[in-house]
Amino acid sequence: MRFSNKFRNEQIEHLKKEKFDVVVIGGGITGAGIALDAASRGLKVALVEMQDFASGTSSRSTKLVHGGLRYLKQLEVKLVAEVGKERAIVFENGPHVTTPEWMLLPLHKGGTFGKFSTSMGLRVYDFLAGVKRSERRRMLDAAETLLREPLLKKSGLKGGGLYVEYRTDDARLTIEVMKAAVNKGAIPLNYTKVEKLLYQNGKAAGVQAEDLLSGTKFNIFGRKIINAAGAWVDFIREKDDSKTGKTLKLSKGVHIVIDQSRFPLRQAVYFDTPDGRMIFAIPRNGKAYVGTTDTFYDGDPAIPAMTAAERDYLLEAIHYMFPEAAIAPNDIESSWAGVRPLIYEEGKNPSEISRKDEIWESVTGLVTIAGGKLTGYRKMAETVVDLVINQLASETNRSYPKSNTRNMPISGGEVGGSANFPEFIKEQIKNGVKAGLSSMESEQIIRMYGSNAHLLYNISQSERNRHVLPLKLFAQLQYALDYEMAATPLDFFFRRTGALLFDIEAVQKYKMAVINYFAEYFHWSEKIKEYRAAELDAEIINATKLGGK
């Protein structure tokens, strides 16, 4: 069965009839990783997500697979070592959604970092994280630093440190992991809300779910229930009457996007601000994005938005480090805000709270995983599934295999490894050109979809005479509907393509054609079509307004 909402009714029937080994609540990167790990070990896996997959934190991050440099400052040595090694695994298993990016750490007189301490810190980081030789840190003098990024503040510049981070598309990474789980037999369903937990003999044994697209309610039963709901973890714990001890505290992060015609950033930069925080400025496909803020957040985690104060904070940070750029509020094309679920520690501000993950098990057997980082999703999943499998083994007297995701390409990752990916791109471009795409469009598709690019080329080949949408955009749209379970135009423009964040002009230009195609594909009534159009417009306004109160 294709991973498509075209087959939603059949998927719901399957969820109703089967008894699963594992039911996962939450379709962000953590839930997707758990579904893949469990399904790849032969477990029967169901997953439900209240919104779209990756609609929470997993589409609203700084879009970096961090190596954990900031944790070195907090002396979390073990975490640096683990996260650094996991980053390499994420890259190897999905080089189409993860790209090495040299990051410049400018050093100024009176700044947070000294040249010697930075050099030693980056050297220790390289060692702990197992950074390969070609990506180890380099130290630059002031002239070399300005050659890398001429927009940097020149006053007091002493030099810079150069090290590698890995840039990603967080939402697409999540979708590719989810698709890999589907290929292993998992059944994930988006827009499916857990109304309550079901119990047998005092133990969590299932969930009552509501299909938010139809209003239908149904039960899903499983031997083990895993709460991986991210920012909503405590809501699920409340349903289980097990919200005791440690709780979550949400931290809000905001990013702004500026066209490179106004902010011609050449080099990704990680810089300190006068208040001692660290900010990223990263070039990406003709845009530059800057973030992030880090403040406690008590609002609805589903609808965070940038405020005027947060906008001004990021603009002040740009003015501080890139004074010649003279960026003004009306230079901001779009923005995004997201919340991070942190495990609350009394007396600490958001930047100081550890990003380590923790696993809790309630008296009903509900397993909850909270905290953690995008980079560590695979290891977190392995740890949770190990716990569940040990329980299942003792209960059923069966043996289960160990995790094998360390060397398992995610969907789209079958490109012969990261070292071979450049060659794979060269070989595949000609197939895209044959399908009617330009060389540039063909390469863009390969870099976004990896070894699944041929499916988009097939769509392009069969639809090359369609003129309603540009051929590349139509291929992406049809693929999102047929293979990536997109249910709404917002799913497509935000989480399947990222256009709402990085190509807002294209969203404005083609939104009605895309809405009409969704309506045709799913046989929507005029009322549903109007609702989905309004939903997309609301998110466009949210992304493009210059900051509320």
Side-chain angles (χ1 to χ4, degrees), residues 28-35 37-38 41 58 71 79 82-83 86 89-90 226-230 233 341 343 355-359 367-388 403 405:
I29 188 62
T30 305
I34 291 168
D37 191 286
R41 300 200 216 186
S58 298
Y71 310 131
L79 187 60
E82 183 173 288
V83 168
E86 281 301 310
I89 294 170
V90 174
I226 300 176
N227 175 15
V233 151
I343 300 168
R355 265 53 173 178
K356 286 188 290 189
D357 57 281
E358 291 196 34
I359 299 171
V367 175
T368 294
I369 181 160
K373 292 287 288 178
L374 176 76
T375 312
Y377 85 87
R378 189 206 67 84
K379 188 66 178 176
M380 289 159 59
E382 180 182 319
T383 304
V384 171
V385 179
D386 279 348
L387 170 68
V388 167
S403 176
T405 57

Side-chain angles (χ1 to χ4, degrees), residues 48 95 198 269 300 361-362 457 526:
V48 289
L198 304 174
V269 180
D300 185 345
E361 187 177 357
S362 76
Y457 293 163
E526 194 62 30

Side-chain angles (χ1 to χ4, degrees), residues 250-315:
L250 301 183
S251 165
K252 181 182 174 189
V254 170
H255 299 78
I256 56 176
V257 180
I258 303 160
D259 193 86
Q260 284 198 293
S261 63
R262 279 295 301 118
F263 188 20
L265 192 69
R266 292 186 190 175
Q267 161 76 52
V269 180
Y270 186 39
F271 63 95
D272 54 344
T273 60
D275 63 350
R277 288 208 66 252
M278 298 297 296
I279 299 287
F280 287 100
I282 301 173
R284 173 175 168 153
N285 299 334
K287 310 292 179 184
Y289 69 97
V290 181
T292 180
T293 58
D294 201 359
T295 54
F296 285 133
Y297 179 71
D298 294 319
D300 185 345
I303 51 171
M306 178 176 71
T307 66
E310 289 162 335
R311 173 204 67 198
D312 291 345
Y313 177 85
L314 292 176
L315 287 175

Side-chain angles (χ1 to χ4, degrees), residues 247-451:
T247 59
L248 292 190
K249 186 73 173 176
L250 301 183
S251 165
K252 181 182 174 189
V254 170
H255 299 78
I256 56 176
V257 180
I258 303 160
D259 193 86
Q260 284 198 293
S261 63
R262 279 295 301 118
F263 188 20
L265 192 69
R266 292 186 190 175
Q267 161 76 52
V269 180
Y270 186 39
F271 63 95
D272 54 344
T273 60
D275 63 350
R277 288 208 66 252
M278 298 297 296
I279 299 287
F280 287 100
I282 301 173
R284 173 175 168 153
N285 299 334
K287 310 292 179 184
Y289 69 97
V290 181
T292 180
T293 58
D294 201 359
T295 54
F296 285 133
Y297 179 71
D298 294 319
D300 185 345
I303 51 171
M306 178 176 71
T307 66
E310 289 162 335
R311 173 204 67 198
D312 291 345
Y313 177 85
L314 292 176
L315 287 175
E316 286 168 13
I318 295 172
H319 296 157
Y320 172 73
M321 188 52 64
F322 308 97
E324 294 174 11
I327 302 300
N330 60 4
D331 291 318
I332 300 171
E333 284 192 351
S334 60
S335 67
W336 73 89
V339 294
R340 314 172 192 90
L342 307 177
I343 300 168
Y344 186 55
E345 296 177 51
E346 189 72 39
K348 290 192 175 183
N349 67 45
S351 298
E352 294 172 326
I353 294 177
S354 172
R355 265 53 173 178
K356 286 188 290 189
D357 57 281
E358 291 196 34
I359 299 171
W360 307 313
E361 187 177 357
S362 76
V363 293
T364 69
L366 176 70
V367 175
T368 294
I369 181 160
K373 292 287 288 178
L374 176 76
T375 312
Y377 85 87
R378 189 206 67 84
K379 188 66 178 176
M380 289 159 59
E382 180 182 319
T383 304
V384 171
V385 179
D386 279 348
L387 170 68
V388 167
I389 275 199
N390 287 337
Q391 294 175 351
L392 288 172
S394 65
E395 294 167 11
T396 63
N397 204 26
R398 279 184 56 193
S399 60
Y400 295 89
K402 292 182 178 180
S403 176
N404 60 352
T405 57
R406 174 180 285 270
N407 299 307
M408 180 186 294
I410 60 176
S411 181
E414 300 279 1
V415 297
S418 60
N420 188 61
F421 191 43
E423 192 60 38
F424 180 88
I425 293 170
K426 288 180 186 176
E427 292 170 1
Q428 295 300 316
I429 284 177
K430 59 181 181 290
N431 294 328
V433 173
K434 286 179 186 175
L437 298 163
S438 69
S439 294
M440 181 183 294
E441 290 172 329
S442 302
E443 181 171 346
Q444 288 169 342
I445 282 179
I446 302 164
R447 290 190 180 278
M448 184 175 281
Y449 299 94
S451 55

Side-chain angles (χ1 to χ4, degrees), residues 85-106:
K85 291 177 175 63
E86 281 301 310
R87 181 183 68 168
I89 294 170
V90 174
F91 175 48
E92 192 60 36
N93 289 341
H96 62 302
V97 286
T98 315
T99 307
E101 175 103 42
W102 283 99
M103 191 71 63
L104 178 63
L105 186 68

Side-chain angles (χ1 to χ4, degrees), residues 41 108 253 280 457 461 466 508:
R41 300 200 216 186
H108 285 87
F280 287 100
Y457 293 163
Q461 182 68 51
R466 284 184 77 99
Q508 297 277 24

